[in-house]
Amino acid sequence: MPLPGIIARHKLASALLVIIAAPLITSTLWTLIALNFSYARGERAGVLQKISQRGWMCKTWEGELQLTATPGSAPEKFTFTIRSDSVAAELNKRAGERVVLSYDQHRGIPGSCFGDTEYFVTGIRLVGTP
């Protein structure tokens, strides 16, 4: 086989590899970075309104906290995602109660397979407990 044919085939294979592999590697690295590094951390207090496991293929725990509103104003809702089954089980027991949720904010997570929101609850405590 002549040398120019081998080089041409390798250039085509290399180009295809770059076209396919580069976006795949980039999106994988972006997802890992977005999931493992917090943009912000904090706590929110309110009444736990809803918690449910949702999704067709990627099941995630999603919830809603009604923040304490001043009389006469519209209530504000805080939607969140839970990655831990043990935290989700604890939240299921506390539906309708006043709680304080600890959360990490992860911005830029691609798709909804990791959760519908960028706020991931990491802990819960009842209002009035240290």
Side-chain angles (χ1 to χ4, degrees):
M1 200 182 250
L3 191 57
I6 293 173
I7 293 173
R9 258 190 267 149
H10 286 291
K11 284 183 182 179
L12 180 61
S14 297
L16 284 174
L17 182 65
V18 167
I19 289 170
I20 294 170
L24 185 64
I25 291 169
T26 303
S27 66
T28 301
L29 285 174
W30 180 264
T31 302
L32 287 172
I33 290 168
L35 284 173
N36 290 309
F37 294 100
S38 288
Y39 175 76
R41 287 193 167 98
E43 290 186 334
R44 299 264 178 125
V47 177
L48 183 61
Q49 277 195 281
K50 176 174 81 169
I51 180 168
S52 62
Q53 193 173 30
R54 300 192 315 206
W56 292 105
M57 295 192 61
C58 302
K59 296 285 188 186
T60 60
W61 286 99
E62 305 296 329
E64 192 174 276
L65 187 74
Q66 182 176 352
L67 303 177
T68 307
T70 55
S73 66
E76 184 181 348
K77 293 180 183 175
F78 173 64
T79 56
F80 56 88
T81 300
I82 308 144
R83 293 174 70 182
S84 167
D85 286 335
S86 61
V87 173
E90 185 63 31
L91 281 169
N92 268 324
K93 294 178 197 173
R94 304 295 179 200
E97 296 183 29
R98 292 184 51 77
V99 296
V100 177
L101 300 179
S102 301
Y103 68 89
D104 290 339
Q105 183 180 8
H106 297 274
R107 299 192 70 180
I109 296 174
S112 64
C113 199
F114 299 101
D116 289 343
T117 71
E118 60 186 37
Y119 299 101
F120 292 87
V121 170
T122 57
I124 176 178
R125 66 183 164 85
L126 293 174
V127 170
T129 57

